[in-house]
Amino acid sequence: MPQITPDIDRYLLGDNPFIGVDHLSQERARERLKRIDTNRIVDVIDTAFASGAQGLLFSTHPIMYDALKQIKTRSHSAALPLYPLLPYVQSYVRTATEKGILGLAQELLSKLSWKGKATAMARGGLSIASIDPKGILRSYIDVELDVLSRNAPNGATLKSVFLHEIVTDLATSFQAAELIQTYADHIVDKYNVKPGFATRNFPKFVAFARASGLRLDQIVILTPFNSVGFQMNP
């Protein structure tokens, strides 16, 4: 993997409250989601950046895409550092359940720009149709980042791309080193940023990453650290 050493911003704003996530109350989360107001989200983002936030860490959720569109008119948008967390797992699981694997492939293809579709077809279509795990992962990444590039504010910068903890921790459990290496190589080779990994099991992932040949100084790890051990394992 080539040397990639861009600075990672110290203070990042997360998006959980913006998309209805509440780790302490599912009922409150559902009520919050009903009252989502994109204008208020953008106001909070503006205030956070005015108060010292340096980057936006967010799930590739439709609400966040709407917020990014509005941010295009805001003063800090020209240099907004972005840290997307993908894939947006709930959406893919729901689509696969309702439409099947081929239906999911068609859904992914429909999200691509004309340029993205041409690239996908030149590669023989989306690899999800052939049930190729590494190809599926690359397809997910390319679809999500193609959509992001069309919604992001002008001049926004991609600083890292995080793999969702569901995928990271499953790969760790099954010791799927080749899958993790495929992800890291694709992020570096195509997007020229540090690959990021979200995990709820920091010690095991670090050991797995080292065993898989990943250099810890060339990746970014997103994991909880707190005094009560919330979402920490162990």
Side-chain angles (χ1 to χ4, degrees), residues 148-220:
L148 174 59
S149 68
R150 287 182 281 124
N151 288 279
N154 298 327
T157 55
L158 186 68
K159 298 297 290 287
S160 182
V161 181
F162 286 95
L163 187 64
H164 196 283
E165 63 264 20
I166 289 178
V167 181
T168 301
D169 290 342
L170 275 175
T172 302
S173 297
F174 288 106
Q175 295 294 290
E178 196 172 352
L179 194 68
I180 290 296
Q181 190 66 57
T182 295
Y183 166 78
D185 288 344
H186 190 62
I187 293 298
V188 171
D189 294 341
K190 185 167 183 177
Y191 300 100
N192 199 39
V193 297
K194 276 188 175 182
F197 297 90
T199 179
R200 299 290 171 81
N201 196 320
F202 180 72
K204 283 193 175 181
F205 174 71
V206 167
F208 170 60
R210 285 174 170 154
S212 301
L214 296 180
R215 285 180 48 182
L216 296 186
D217 63 335
Q218 294 296 307
I219 64 175
V220 188

Side-chain angles (χ1 to χ4, degrees), residues 60-92:
T60 51
H61 188 290
I63 290 173
M64 293 309 298
Y65 284 139
D66 289 341
L68 287 174
K69 290 178 185 177
Q70 289 198 28
I71 291 175
K72 290 182 179 182
T73 63
R74 304 299 177 108
S75 59
H76 63 257
S77 66
L80 179 64
L82 301 177
Y83 295 81
L85 172 68
L86 54 88
Y88 176 46
V89 175
Q90 293 90 331
S91 173
Y92 291 128

